[in-house]
């Protein structure tokens, strides 16, 4: 389900009276509302869990709301009670925790950086990208380029700035970062050569490679960019009172997600077809390429590692120039994963 702008704003403000389930469904399943700031391969395990009925097996009616204005709006819905779980990057969670919001991550969804940085064939040829092996030299190749991001301060914006700094560049002087608002806008501008590159996740990033001859600056999914190796990119985030007060429901969500992750490893063909149904308009060749490129970025289990979470602390400190004032052990819990683990043996 996607929200209109009016309805999404009402969600964020906590003013929309949203019917969480019909009486018939409520008798057999328990409703869980998951808020996402986008669509993309980031949510692979959840797509699989939805299509292969892993949520249904847990007697969960999983409703997904895609918030058109991104993570901040999804987080507002979480805090207002209109969503039970926010599926997003822990960075936004950490900054919210600094402001006193009682939330934390309780399950890993993607454990490598899930956004790509695609540059045009002309730009790649100009800097000799194919011959560059040193990661810092690759990052320095952004010099003079115009790179599109979703918006100021967005995850894509922070990522481009991080890469620029890693290459010894000043992101406000040595490159041009252009907020452009959506994947469709990015692809249009890229195809018209109004920008030299853009930052977004698959399959939109793959479209730039296939249709317009672009190249990835780094293969983040395979850990090619040293600062982002083992990066805890997206997690299940919820209010602490929901995690503890509805522990059984939280376990059911984690178990369904875990089954989705497992299907990626043990039954990839079936998982592939399940995810394919969510992207019917993406050409088969682009979808398959995005699928193969993304596979290394998903964990075998939803367990959160300290190393992965700490990467988010460093990312925010370096990207925003401000350290995170939240104790690491307050940022996540593996209690739900531990409770589910015996049933997944």
């Amino acid at each position: 389900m996607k929200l209109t702008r009016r309805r999404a704003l009402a969600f964020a403000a906590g003013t929309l009276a949203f019917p969480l389930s019909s009486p018939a469904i409520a008798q057999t399943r328990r409703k869980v509302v998951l808020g996402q700031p986008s669509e993309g391969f980031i949510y692979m395990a959840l797509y699989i869990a939805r299509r292969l009925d892993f949520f249904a097996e847990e007697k969960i009616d999983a409703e997904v709301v895609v918030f058109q204005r991104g993570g901040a709006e999804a987080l507002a819905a979480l805090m207002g009670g209109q969503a039970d779980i926010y599926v997003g990057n822990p960075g936004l969670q950490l900054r919210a925790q600094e402001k006193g919001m009682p939330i934390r991550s309780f399950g890993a969804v993607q454990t490598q950086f899930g956004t790509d940085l695609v540059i045009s064939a002309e730009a790649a040829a100009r800097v000799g990208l194919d011959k560059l092996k040193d990661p810092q030299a690759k990052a320095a190749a952004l010099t003079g380029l115009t790179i599109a991001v979703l918006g100021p301060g967005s995850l894509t914006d922070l990522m481009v700035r991080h890469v620029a700094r890693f290459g010894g560049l000043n992101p406000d002087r040595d490159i041009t970062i252009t907020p452009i608002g959506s994947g469709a806008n990015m692809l249009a501008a890229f195809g018209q050569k109004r920008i030299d590159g853009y930052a977004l996740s698959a399959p939109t990033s793959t479209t730039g490679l296939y249709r317009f001859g672009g190249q990835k600056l780094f293969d983040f999914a395979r850990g090619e960019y040293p600062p982002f190796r083992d990066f805890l990119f997206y997690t299940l985030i919820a209010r602490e009172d929901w995690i503890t007060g509805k522990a059984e429901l939280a376990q059911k969500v984690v178990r369904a997600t875990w089954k989705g992750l497992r299907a990626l490893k043990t039954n990839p063909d079936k998982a592939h077809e399940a995810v394919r149904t969510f992207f019917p308009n993406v050409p088969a060749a682009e979808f398959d390429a995005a699928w193969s490129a993304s596979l290394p970025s998903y964990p075998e289990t939803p367990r959160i590692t300290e190393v992965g979470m700490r990467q988010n602390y460093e990312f925010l400190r370096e990207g925003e120039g401000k350290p995170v004032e939240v104790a690491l052990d307050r940022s996540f819990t593996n209690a739900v994963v531990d409770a589910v683990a015996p049933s997944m043996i």
Side-chain angles (χ1 to χ4, degrees):
M1 168 183 167
K2 292 190 178 182
L3 299 182
T4 63
R5 182 178 180 186
R6 178 178 297 176
R7 189 171 228 187
L9 289 172
F11 245 126
T15 59
L16 182 64
F18 193 84
L20 292 186
S21 64
S22 69
I25 291 176
Q27 290 174 8
T28 58
R29 298 184 186 178
R30 299 178 68 181
K31 173 77 74 172
V32 176
V33 180
L34 298 98
Q36 295 178 188
S38 64
E39 294 277 20
F41 278 21
I42 295 168
Y43 312 98
M44 189 94 80
L46 300 179
Y47 291 139
I48 296 168
R50 290 162 62 190
R51 187 60 71 234
L52 299 186
D53 293 329
F54 295 148
F55 283 114
E57 289 175 4
E58 298 296 325
K59 292 183 168 45
I60 292 176
D61 181 21
E63 178 173 351
V64 174
V65 178
V66 180
F67 290 88
Q68 302 301 313
R69 297 177 67 183
E73 187 175 36
L75 185 59
L78 176 69
M79 294 309 301
Q82 286 80 37
D84 299 303
I85 298 169
Y86 164 46
V87 188
N89 176 259
L92 187 60
Q93 165 211 317
L94 292 172
R95 291 306 190 201
Q97 282 186 278
E98 288 181 323
K99 299 175 181 177
M101 293 186 184
I103 56 178
R104 65 171 67 192
S105 292
F106 67 98
V109 174
Q110 190 174 31
T111 51
Q112 290 289 359
F113 206 87
T115 295
D116 295 313
L117 209 174
V118 177
I119 64 173
S120 67
E122 293 82 1
R126 197 159 57 242
V127 301
L129 183 61
D130 290 339
K131 298 178 181 179
L132 298 178
K133 304 302 179 185
D134 178 68
Q136 287 187 305
K138 279 191 171 186
L142 290 176
T143 303
L145 301 187
T146 297
I147 306 296
V149 300
L150 289 174
S154 66
L155 192 64
T156 53
D157 180 44
L158 294 179
M159 181 267 276
V160 173
R161 291 176 180 276
H162 193 288
V163 172
R165 290 192 180 99
F166 182 73
L169 308 181
N170 181 327
D172 294 313
R173 184 188 62 220
D174 297 325
I175 64 176
T176 300
I177 300 177
T178 302
I180 207 164
S182 72
N185 290 343
M186 288 184 186
L187 288 176
F190 193 63
Q192 295 164 8
K193 303 187 185 303
R194 292 190 285 113
I195 56 175
D196 298 301
Y198 65 95
L200 210 61
S201 62
T204 306
S205 58
T206 313
T207 299
L209 309 183
Y210 267 69
R211 297 184 196 177
F212 305 115
Q215 291 184 235
K216 288 183 184 179
L217 189 66
F218 292 102
D219 191 336
F220 292 120
R222 298 183 183 279
E224 190 175 286
Y225 182 61
F228 287 173
R229 285 175 188 156
D230 301 316
F231 194 105
L232 182 63
F233 191 62
Y234 263 46
T235 59
L236 303 173
I237 301 166
R239 301 183 306 277
E240 291 184 351
D241 62 347
W242 190 90
I243 296 172
T244 57
K246 297 189 176 181
E248 183 182 356
L249 196 53
Q251 289 169 26
K252 288 176 178 293
V253 171
V254 166
R255 189 179 292 107
T257 304
W258 198 329
K259 290 178 180 179
L261 291 171
R262 179 170 288 182
L264 277 170
K265 310 293 183 180
T266 63
N267 201 342
D269 291 341
K270 192 171 184 179
H272 175 282
E273 292 310 306
V275 176
R276 186 76 178 101
T277 63
F278 288 90
F279 299 92
N281 296 324
V282 177
E286 292 179 20
F287 181 90
D288 290 345
W291 171 271
S292 298
S294 299
L295 284 180
S297 65
Y298 307 104
E300 293 188 359
T301 79
R303 171 167 288 277
I304 296 172
T305 67
E306 288 190 4
V307 171
M309 181 61 81
R310 197 180 294 280
Q311 290 278 45
N312 283 276
Y313 281 68
E314 293 303 308
F315 178 65
L316 290 175
R317 181 183 62 80
E318 295 172 9
E320 298 179 346
K322 176 185 174 185
V324 177
E325 303 296 336
V326 175
L328 185 64
D329 63 359
R330 295 293 300 169
S331 66
F332 72 95
T333 177
N334 277 315
V336 182
V337 173
D338 290 341
V340 170
S343 67
M344 294 299 297
I345 294 175

